[in-house]
């Protein structure tokens, strides 16, 4: 077990939890020669989430946006380890985490792979475990909803789309059931819901309708949002542009409508009318995608009750200006598992991860320099070296120590927000040299594609994504049912 492996002399044990945007940025930046690094995550790959909605329709194949974590750590100067396991408990007072290998390896169960739960000690800990989908306890959402947060969710949606289509094409099916099977309801008008609706629209228009012309006019797509606008985090002009584009795409956009209950085939929602009265909305569905937002994972919520300084935390861990978890020592938290005034986005998580990686390098330098200063002082006190030479050297190292001890606070630099809205159109809230710039349309779509292509994790990912786009342009999406 990883916990029992000795740490190389002079190195501190650094545990990095998670393999998402934040943690991978830490790994890219931290100097592995300074730390004994172990990454623990139930997912042995990094996922490029911005292109996940495209995987639901086969516009992009899922492996094109995955990068094995082992290839990421292989590129480090010194060895780093990966443990595929779920962290079930963090004990910041005894500096340990409990990891469970239990949920993993289901399909290779054998005596060689024990059902292991172990405690792993750390000197420094970086928590980057993200968030989980929140259903707000709405009845039926967990049972019947498809989420869109992980690769398996996108695969499940892709399969469900085809299941509904094939079932609806069946000759004996009655018209009412056919209509229901061809109805998709997306709940949540944030970027996830809007981007998925846009992708599904493209799929209908470009592929499915051509393959099954009889069903052409029967597909319906409804997007439900509780607030008065879709994409509420974008500027007003872009919210309006996005909504108009969705309506042009014949997507039924229901704003000020909150879903209250879901059964195996029907959604019940409540619409607030302009005069304040409430009206019930009932929609039978074939596919229901829940994109209603996220909340803290259980291991993070546990810390809210264990650490007194976290008692008021709700969405995520409270951190200071150095992203250190309040009430702890040597524990940092980054990305969606934190609560700050930044939006829970990949951009924030990546910048926080890079910052913590660099901070850890500085801390290592500070600790090394402190050791050097302590040794020199002792030598000077013991009169072991030439006094003048030693005093000069000590002054030099003390200056270095002073510099290394000045830790810079985290500063976020917002590069803008982008979202795809279907029909080869995108919206962009950008900032150039401090000036805000909002745009929507086909040129923005080209920008969206090139921006995300350049952000892909590796050259391999970039090539695969380009290939997928080309394949779809030439041959259409693959509609075979797996
Ligand atoms: P994540 O990337 O979610 O990573 C969390 C990691 O922790 C995962 O590896 C997970 O397996 C691991 N983990 C979970 N539980 C445990 C545990 N118990 N123990 C150990 N490890 C654990 N943001 C943008 O800025 N731009 C976009 O265009 C954009 N598009 C998006 C599209 C979609 C469909 C989605 C769902 C999100 C999108 N986001 C986008 C948001 C962005 O993906 C998140 O903000 C980002 O992933 C947060 O990074 P993170 O490192 O905090 O968490
Ligand atoms: P979100 O929290 O941004 O949006 C969820 C939406 O669901 C909200 O607008 C909320 O009002 C609505 N909602 C919740 N309960 C509802 C109910 N019962 N009935 C009707 N509507 C309901 O969630 P998201 O879209 O998954 O995004 C999560 C995070 O990831 C955000 O920070 C977002 O910025 C980021 N993200 C960014 C992009 C991008 O930049 N392109 C894409 C996806 C996600």
């Amino acid at each position: 077990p990883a916990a029992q492996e000795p740490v190389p002399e002079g190195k501190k044990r650094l545990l990095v939890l998670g393999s998402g945007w934040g943690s991978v940025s830490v790994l890219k930046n931290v100097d592995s020669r300074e730390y004994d690094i172990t990454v623990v995550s139930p997912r042995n790959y990094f996922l490029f989430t911005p292109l996940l909605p495209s995987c639901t329709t086969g516009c992009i194949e899922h492996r094109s946006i995955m990068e094995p974590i082992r290839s990421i750590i292989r590129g480090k100067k010194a060895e780093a380890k990966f443990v595929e396991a779920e962290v079930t408990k963090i004990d910041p007072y005894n500096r340990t985490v409990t990891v469970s290998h239990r949920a993993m390896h289901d399909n290779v169960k054998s005596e060689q792979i024990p059902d292991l739960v172990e405690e792993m000690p750390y000197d420094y800990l970086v928590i980057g475990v993200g968030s989980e989908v929140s259903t707000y306890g709405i009845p039926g959402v967990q049972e019947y909803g498809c989420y869109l947060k992980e690769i398996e969710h996108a695969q499940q949606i892709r399969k469900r789309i085809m299941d509904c289509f094939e079932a609806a094409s069946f000759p004996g099916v009655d018209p009412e059931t056919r209509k229901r099977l061809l109805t998709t309801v997306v709940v949540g008008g944030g970027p996830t819901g809007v981007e998925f609706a846009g992708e599904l629209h493209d799929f209908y228009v470009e592929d499915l309708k051509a393959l099954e012309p009889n069903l052409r006019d029967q597909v319906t797509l409804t997007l439900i949002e509780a607030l008065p606008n879709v994409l509420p985090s974008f500027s007003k002009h872009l919210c309006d542009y996005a909504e108009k584009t969705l309506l042009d795409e014949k997507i039924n956009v229901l704003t000020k409508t909150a879903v209250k209950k879901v059964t195996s085939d029907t959604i019940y929602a409540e619409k607030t009318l302009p005069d304040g009265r409430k009206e019930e909305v009932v929609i039978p569905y074939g596919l229901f995608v829940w994109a209603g937002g996220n909340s803290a994972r259980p291991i993070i919520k546990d810390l809210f009750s264990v650490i007194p300084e976290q008692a008021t935390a709700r969405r995520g861990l409270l951190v200071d200006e150095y992203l250190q978890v309040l009430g702890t020592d040597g524990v940092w938290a980054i990305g969606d598992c934190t609560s700050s005034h930044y939006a829970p986005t990949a951009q924030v998580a990546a910048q926080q991860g890079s910052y913590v990686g660099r901070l850890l390098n500085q801390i290592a330098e500070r600790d090394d320099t402190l050791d050097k200063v302590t040794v020199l002082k002792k030598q000077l006190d013991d009169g072991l070296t030439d006094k003048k030479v030693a005093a000069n050297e000590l002054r030099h190292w003390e200056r270095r120590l002073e510099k290394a001890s000045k830790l810079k606070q985290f500063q976020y630099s917002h590069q803008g927000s982008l979202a795809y809205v279907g029909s080869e159109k995108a919206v962009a809230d950008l900032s150039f040299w401090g000036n805000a710039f909002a745009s929507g349309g086909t040129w923005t779509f080209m920008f969206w594609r090139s921006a995300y292509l350049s952000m892909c994790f590796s050259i391999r990912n970039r090539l695969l994504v380009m290939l997928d786009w080309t394949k779809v342009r030439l041959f259409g999406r693959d509609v075979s049912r797996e």
Side-chain angles (χ1 to χ4, degrees):
Q4 272 115 59
E5 281 173 23
V7 183
E9 211 191 307
K11 280 193 172 188
K12 289 217 158 73
R13 206 188 285 257
L14 170 65
L15 276 190
V16 179
L17 311 187
S19 51
W21 280 94
S23 302
V24 160
S25 278
V26 174
L27 291 175
K28 273 200 218 161
N29 286 277
V30 71
D31 188 342
S32 55
R33 291 167 303 184
E34 296 288 352
Y35 292 100
D36 179 63
I37 304 173
T38 305
V39 184
V40 186
S41 176
R43 205 173 75 187
N44 82 345
Y45 56 88
F46 164 76
L47 175 64
F48 186 77
T49 46
L51 291 176
L52 189 60
S54 305
C55 294
T56 58
T57 57
C59 182
I60 286 183
E61 293 299 334
H62 61 273
R63 289 204 174 265
S64 306
I65 57 165
M66 293 158 71
E67 184 69 22
I69 197 78
R70 291 185 192 279
S71 5
I72 297 172
I73 56 179
R74 202 176 47 214
K76 299 297 295 174
K77 288 192 177 121
E79 194 209 0
K81 288 172 247 116
F82 173 72
V83 176
E84 192 188 64
E86 195 184 348
V87 174
T88 51
K89 191 178 159 212
I90 299 170
D91 182 345
Y93 300 116
N94 291 309
R95 290 183 177 255
T96 57
V97 301
T98 308
V99 301
S100 166
H101 305 249
R102 209 165 260 161
M104 329 307 300
H105 318 299
D106 269 354
N107 39 5
V108 282
K109 275 253 166 343
S110 74
E111 277 109 57
Q112 283 80 41
I113 300 174
D115 263 0
L116 205 65
V117 175
E118 64 172 335
E119 280 198 349
M120 293 177 80
Y122 65 82
D123 296 305
Y124 294 135
L125 176 71
V126 181
I127 309 175
V129 297
S131 54
E132 65 176 17
V133 174
S134 176
T135 63
Y136 313 104
I138 298 171
V141 172
Q142 199 186 340
E143 290 92 322
Y144 307 114
C146 293
Y147 301 155
L148 184 49
K149 195 160 187 328
E150 300 290 343
I151 226 50
E152 58 271 21
H153 299 152
Q155 287 170 306
Q156 189 196 3
I157 294 175
R158 189 173 175 186
K159 184 169 180 305
R160 180 83 191 152
I161 294 170
M162 290 320 301
D163 287 349
C164 287
F165 237 84
E166 295 300 353
S169 318
F170 196 69
V173 77
D174 68 90
E176 204 173 311
T177 307
R178 175 173 298 137
K179 188 168 175 249
R180 179 179 68 73
L181 288 169
L182 295 175
T183 299
T184 295
V185 180
V186 183
V187 181
T192 302
V194 167
E195 291 196 322
F196 169 67
E199 292 284 350
L200 191 60
H201 159 268
D202 292 359
F203 183 44
Y204 285 164
V205 172
E206 292 165 17
D207 293 285
L208 270 183
K209 283 184 177 176
L211 293 171
E212 195 60 72
N214 295 339
L215 302 178
R216 179 186 299 258
D217 300 318
Q218 297 183 45
V219 286
T220 54
L221 176 50
T222 300
L223 178 66
I224 301 183
E225 168 56 51
L227 298 175
N229 295 98
V230 296
L231 291 184
S233 57
F234 282 67
S235 50
K236 177 78 175 85
H237 140 72
L238 291 181
C239 296
D240 294 344
Y241 177 85
E243 201 161 319
K244 185 181 170 305
T245 309
L246 296 173
L247 292 171
D248 289 349
E249 289 166 349
K250 301 206 169 47
I251 297 174
N252 188 16
V253 180
L254 299 179
T255 49
K256 291 193 184 171
T257 307
V259 167
K260 298 289 178 193
K261 191 177 95 180
V262 183
T263 64
S264 61
D265 57 9
T266 310
I267 286 179
Y268 297 87
E270 196 174 75
K271 184 166 177 63
T272 308
L273 299 171
D275 60 9
R277 279 182 305 119
K278 308 276 185 196
E279 183 184 81
E280 193 184 28
V281 178
V282 180
I283 313 174
Y285 69 86
L287 168 65
F288 156 45
V289 174
W290 173 258
N294 306 318
S295 61
R297 289 191 188 278
I299 44 160
I300 299 297
K301 285 187 189 151
D302 286 349
L303 289 178
F304 298 167
S305 48
V306 169
I307 306 170
E309 288 82 349
Q310 298 289 336
T312 57
R314 291 288 166 269
R315 197 187 81 193
L317 291 165
L318 301 172
V319 292
D320 65 13
E321 299 80 0
Y322 304 92
L323 305 183
Q324 179 141 248
V325 177
L326 293 187
T328 68
D329 179 29
V331 182
W332 289 267
I334 50 178
D336 285 8
C337 67
T338 64
S339 173
S340 64
H341 52 276
Y342 307 117
T345 63
Q347 207 182 141
V348 170
Q351 289 188 31
Q352 290 184 329
S354 308
Y355 166 81
V356 169
R358 292 193 305 270
L359 190 85
L360 284 163
N361 293 343
Q362 197 180 339
I363 288 173
E365 192 191 336
R366 184 194 66 190
D367 292 351
D368 289 349
T369 317
L370 184 63
D371 288 349
K372 186 93 190 160
V373 167
T374 314
V375 170
L376 280 171
K377 271 188 178 158
K378 184 150 187 342
Q379 283 178 353
L380 206 62
D381 288 348
D382 297 348
L384 295 177
T385 49
D386 178 85
K387 235 184 179 158
K388 207 166 155 204
V389 175
N392 271 344
E393 208 181 336
L394 181 61
R395 260 199 301 281
H396 164 78
W397 284 103
E398 277 177 341
R399 270 199 300 274
R400 279 188 68 163
L401 178 61
E402 200 187 327
K403 201 167 155 226
S405 303
K406 278 189 192 136
L407 302 177
K408 274 203 200 122
Q409 297 184 353
F410 171 69
Q411 269 191 333
Y412 174 62
S413 150
H414 187 60
Q415 308 294 307
S417 311
L418 289 163
Y420 182 60
V421 291
S423 312
E424 303 206 335
K425 289 177 184 161
V427 289
D429 252 338
L430 302 170
S431 66
F432 291 117
W433 301 284
N435 299 314
F437 177 73
S439 84
T442 305
W443 281 107
T444 316
F445 165 71
M446 312 277 266
F447 177 73
W448 173 84
R449 272 206 165 173
S450 44
Y452 281 0
L453 201 58
S454 69
M455 281 158 58
C456 278
F457 189 85
S458 60
I459 296 174
R460 186 188 72 93
N461 286 153
R462 224 162 280 153
L463 283 174
L464 289 174
V465 167
M466 268 196 294
L467 209 64
D468 289 342
W469 281 335
T470 314
K471 244 169 30 187
V472 166
R473 181 74 64 191
L474 293 176
F475 311 112
R477 294 164 182 83
D478 183 348
V479 294
S480 43
R481 197 149 72 104
E482 283 172 85

